[in-house]
Amino acid sequence: MIWQLDIILLVFAVVCAFAAVTVKDLLASVILLGAFGLFMCLLWVEMGAVDVAFTEATVGAGITTVFFVITVFKTERVSKD
């Protein structure tokens, strides 16, 4: 394992998670959550857990992001705040 790559991927994952929680726009939050899943997938591959990475890619970065995007587009805004 390359520990520098592990740290870089971990920092990107933490930044995406923090940004997903703090951003005001729901669509941007969903995209950041998908990016978090992608970085976690890459981190699992780097650590050698390919089965966990495949599950994270399909469920965390794939299906969940698609469902959240569909849900955001089906909601209506009450106010323009």
Side-chain angles (χ1 to χ4, degrees), residues 9-68:
L9 290 173
L10 182 64
V11 166
F12 282 147
V14 168
V15 166
C16 283
F18 183 73
V21 172
T22 58
V23 73
K24 297 274 185 191
D25 187 28
L26 288 178
L27 187 59
S29 179
V30 168
I31 292 171
L32 285 167
L33 190 63
F36 170 77
L38 175 71
F39 285 122
M40 285 305 298
C41 173
L42 293 174
L43 194 60
W44 289 121
V45 167
E46 174 62 27
M47 288 195 271
V50 182
D51 53 343
V52 177
F54 181 72
T55 304
E56 178 67 33
T58 55
V59 175
I63 295 171
T64 306
T65 303
V66 170
F67 284 156
F68 282 159

